[in-house]
Amino acid sequence: MKKILTYGTYDLLHYGHINLLKRAKELGNHLTVALSSDEFNAIKNKKSYQNYENRKLILEAIRYVDKVIPENNWDQKIRDVLENNIDIFVMGDDWEGKFEFLKDYCQVIYLPRTAGISTTKIKRDLFAV
Ligand code: C2G
């Protein structure tokens, strides 16, 4: 069993998120998503349109996602990798180089982001309507 772990807010789910989750799952056979809590989003200065429970419900319905756990702070990643026996940590390459400390515990892979889409863009485009 090759276990993959990734993190995110996953608000207003879009095809960029799906592309990331699909490619992450293809690296192994079990994908855990650590989903940012509403409180942690406030720390990230991100206000999500959907609350944690609804973002979790949506993620759990995605065929590539096997498990969703809460992300409550910046400092839980090593513990999450160890407690979940993670082989590969995956993030979009907007995070390139930010998680090198995890290389002592698992493989770290940054995947190219999907261009032209983001939750911020969706909000901005809808607001302009
Ligand atoms: N993503 C992507 N392409 C996009 C938009 C997002 O590949 N067009 C990826 C991001 O790189 C990230 C994942 O989708 O790997 C989730 O994106 P966000 O919800 O914006 O995650 P973020 O707020 O960056 O949270 O501790 C890490 C943070 O919780 C990451």
Side-chain angles (χ1 to χ4, degrees):
M1 164 94 78
K2 182 170 280 191
K3 297 187 73 180
I4 317 295
L5 174 63
T6 192
Y7 290 71
T9 299
Y10 288 96
D11 189 31
L12 298 181
L13 193 78
H14 55 68
Y15 59 90
H17 294 138
I18 297 299
N19 282 338
L20 190 286
L21 296 170
K22 182 175 188 295
R23 286 173 295 159
K25 181 59 177 286
E26 286 167 353
L27 293 170
N29 36 36
H30 186 282
L31 173 61
T32 299
V33 180
L35 182 63
S36 306
S37 65
D38 297 326
E39 297 75 15
F40 184 53
N41 272 334
I43 293 169
K44 292 199 287 185
N45 289 320
K46 275 189 141 180
K47 171 132 182 49
S48 61
Y49 178 75
Q50 293 157 332
N51 67 20
Y52 177 81
E53 285 313 313
N54 290 331
R55 289 181 285 119
K56 181 172 186 284
L57 180 71
I58 291 168
L59 276 185
E60 287 174 337
I62 298 170
R63 71 176 68 172
Y64 308 118
V65 177
D66 297 288
K67 185 178 178 185
V68 178
I69 61 175
E71 178 187 30
N72 297 305
N73 59 66
W74 290 113
D75 308 315
Q76 67 184 73
K77 292 185 174 67
I78 293 174
R79 191 201 67 209
D80 290 345
V81 167
L82 296 175
E83 283 183 357
N84 292 279
N85 303 308
I86 298 300
D87 300 289
I88 309 177
F89 169 88
V90 174
M91 285 302 291
D93 63 4
D94 47 316
W95 290 93
E96 182 89 36
K98 297 290 192 303
F99 300 111
E100 300 307 284
F101 65 92
L102 286 173
K103 287 183 173 176
D104 294 336
Y105 306 94
C106 64
Q107 205 179 334
V108 174
I109 293 180
Y110 303 101
L111 296 172
R113 270 175 76 91
T114 301
I117 184 71
S118 68
T119 303
T120 306
K121 181 177 183 340
I122 292 170
K123 289 178 180 176
R124 197 174 50 234
D125 291 354
L126 288 177
F127 183 74
V129 168

